[in-house]
Amino acid sequence: MNASLIPRTSGGEIDWPAALERFPCLRGLAETPQEAHHHAEGDVLTHTRMVCDEAFRLARGENLAERDTERLLFAAAFHDVGKQLTLTFD
């Protein structure tokens, strides 16, 4: 794959400093809280990084093709991006 959908390290994981630079919309996730009952890990960025770590582990475990790994990691990185604009607590 010539162009990576999301920056990755030489080991294949998401390069978070580069990803946050390339996609400023992800930065706000660090300031977006989550309901502690369902997400004890805290903010949305921490949750997103955990999801991406698991997605990478699964991709390697299933021997996904590089193109499919790229797509999976991109989807994992952006799966909650809308929370910073829409999340409300009662």
Side-chain angles (χ1 to χ4, degrees), residues 7-90:
R8 304 203 12 226
T9 67
S10 60
E13 299 94 344
I14 292 177
D15 179 342
W16 282 103
L20 295 172
E21 182 69 27
R22 183 180 295 175
F23 300 107
C25 62
L26 294 175
R27 292 183 201 149
L29 299 178
E31 306 302 322
T32 305
Q34 298 190 100
E35 187 177 298
H37 176 72
H38 296 289
H39 295 287
E41 66 274 8
D43 64 78
V44 178
L45 183 60
T46 300
H47 166 75
T48 297
R49 291 181 69 152
M50 291 170 67
V51 169
C52 290
D53 289 346
E54 184 64 13
F56 182 73
R57 188 188 69 74
L58 289 169
R60 289 296 179 249
E62 294 296 321
N63 294 313
L64 289 186
E66 181 58 28
R67 182 177 76 186
D68 294 331
T69 298
E70 276 280 313
R71 290 174 177 165
L72 178 62
L73 292 178
F74 188 84
F78 285 89
H79 82 279
D80 273 342
V81 74
K83 279 189 175 180
Q84 59 191 313
L85 301 175
T86 61
L87 186 65
T88 59
F89 293 97
D90 293 330

